[in-house]
Amino acid sequence: MNSILGLGDNTFDVYLDQAKEFPGGNAVNVAVFAARLGMRAAYLGRVGEDAEGAWLKTALQTEKVETAYVQTDKQTSTAWTCVRHEAGNRVFIGSDQGASAKLVLNEAQQAYLASFAMIHTSIYSHTVKYLPAFQRMGLRVSFDFSDEWKDRFLTDICPYIEVGIISLAGSSETLIQAQLEKMLQAGAKVAIATMGADGVMVKSRLGFVKAKGEPINVVDTLGAGDGFIAGFLASYITNQSLPDATQAGIQFAEKVCQEEGGWGHARALSPDRADAILRYCESHTLSPV
């Protein structure tokens, strides 16, 4: 069975205005979506020894995602990200990476990674230091730079990965093409730019694809990019063509946009937790709901 492991970041997407929160995070989302696509899927990351960490693990197990190596931190709470929506689009207004930022991989956990066809991780996952070792182990790695990409990140990271993804919504095609070429020149085999409602561009040494989805009834864009990544990778690792893999990614991202909170499993937000998060956002000069 083809397989994907999501490695690194997890969070609770907190909707203060709706008094509820959803488990998520790039690596978590890709693992869940891979499982929903019928693949063997796993998540390896670090959560707090708290109600949120327990909720996340239970939700992953319900989605048939392997959690045997999820780490629990007794000193640090589970990560959260505060979100609000503007015209259906999610806007991040504050976050605390919590236990997720303390991920450390031992030899047994690294050996576990080798049992998967593709490892997906991200700029928020604190895994960059392991990439050279992954390359020596022969692991195939997909890496999401999100919209935090910088030229030096591309230069440092792309030599160790197979698939690189950057977010470039609202950018010119000239800029996007240039960044994709930089990723390929730096060592990635496949370079992907997600562009929000404008679709995606995918480039490799074998070709170039520019594609856009069909009009749909959008409920929530949270996790849409992660849905594209999962759909693309699930097709790509079965040796489907670049156009077919791109289309598979778009179609799955469209499904994600029609579900609230990425993949559901909402949790009621207690008033105490909402107050604590609101105070944190205010003390960090962010713009709470």
Side-chain angles (χ1 to χ4, degrees):
M1 177 184 290
N2 282 302
S3 52
I4 294 176
L5 181 143
L7 176 66
D9 65 312
N10 67 76
T11 192
F12 263 73
D13 294 311
V14 177
Y15 293 13
L16 284 178
D17 52 345
Q18 300 176 32
K20 56 186 175 183
E21 54 186 336
F22 298 86
N26 175 263
V28 165
N29 291 344
V30 170
V32 169
F33 297 148
R36 289 187 175 185
L37 285 161
M39 309 183 75
R40 178 193 174 204
Y43 171 68
L44 200 170
R46 195 174 185 91
V47 299
E49 192 177 51
D50 48 28
E52 289 73 35
W55 188 278
L56 176 62
K57 288 181 66 174
T58 299
L60 287 170
Q61 291 160 3
T62 301
E63 295 286 341
K64 303 187 186 310
V65 174
E66 296 176 21
T67 60
Y69 286 92
V70 171
Q71 302 169 12
T72 302
D73 192 300
K74 294 183 178 180
Q75 281 76 45
T76 311
S77 58
T78 299
W80 56 263
T81 303
C82 198
V83 179
R84 69 181 177 197
H85 286 80
E86 296 178 357
N89 290 315
R90 52 86 175 120
V91 178
F92 296 111
I93 60 172
S95 65
D96 181 353
Q97 294 189 46
S100 183
K102 297 170 64 178
L103 175 67
V104 177
L105 300 176
N106 61 32
E107 289 187 4
Q109 291 160 347
Q110 293 186 49
Y112 176 64
L113 301 180
S115 67
F116 290 84
M118 180 68 73
I119 307 301
H120 177 75
T121 188
S122 75
I123 197 72
Y124 303 114
S125 292
H126 303 275
T127 53
V128 171
K129 61 185 176 185
Y130 296 108
L131 295 181
F134 293 169
Q135 187 180 62
R136 291 193 293 273
M137 294 166 63
L139 303 184
R140 302 173 70 184
V141 176
S142 162
F143 192 96
D144 188 357
F145 293 88
S146 186
D147 56 5
E148 299 289 343
W149 61 270
K150 297 177 181 176
D151 283 350
R152 65 181 177 86
F153 292 166
L154 302 183
T155 302
D156 291 346
I157 294 171
C158 283
Y160 303 106
I161 64 175
E162 181 167 339
V163 180
I165 305 105
I166 54 178
S167 298
L168 282 166
S171 300
S172 69
E173 180 160 347
T174 300
L175 173 64
I176 295 170
Q177 289 270 17
Q179 294 303 326
L180 294 179
E181 189 58 34
K182 282 182 186 176
M183 295 169 71
L184 297 179
Q185 290 290 341
K189 293 182 179 178
V190 177
I192 298 172
T194 59
M195 306 177 299
D198 292 327
V200 297
M201 292 188 196
V202 183
K203 193 170 189 177
S204 77
R205 293 300 172 214
L206 302 177
F208 171 74
V209 180
K210 180 180 179 181
K212 187 177 179 180
E214 299 295 328
I216 58 171
N217 179 31
V218 174
V219 174
D220 189 350
T221 60
L222 192 72
D226 304 334
F228 173 84
I229 293 169
F232 179 90
L233 293 178
S235 180
Y236 173 74
I237 63 176
T238 57
N239 298 314
Q240 299 301 306
S241 68
L242 215 57
D244 286 349
T246 302
Q247 194 56 41
I250 288 174
Q251 289 177 351
F252 197 78
E254 290 174 346
K255 289 183 179 179
V256 173
C257 287
Q258 295 175 68
E259 182 169 3
E260 189 178 32
W263 48 281
H265 297 271
R267 178 174 182 268
L269 185 64
S270 72
D272 288 346
R273 181 166 162 79
D275 287 344
I277 288 173
L278 188 58
R279 287 197 300 273
Y280 182 97
C281 290
E282 290 172 341
S283 67
H284 288 73
T285 64
L286 296 169
S287 302
V289 174

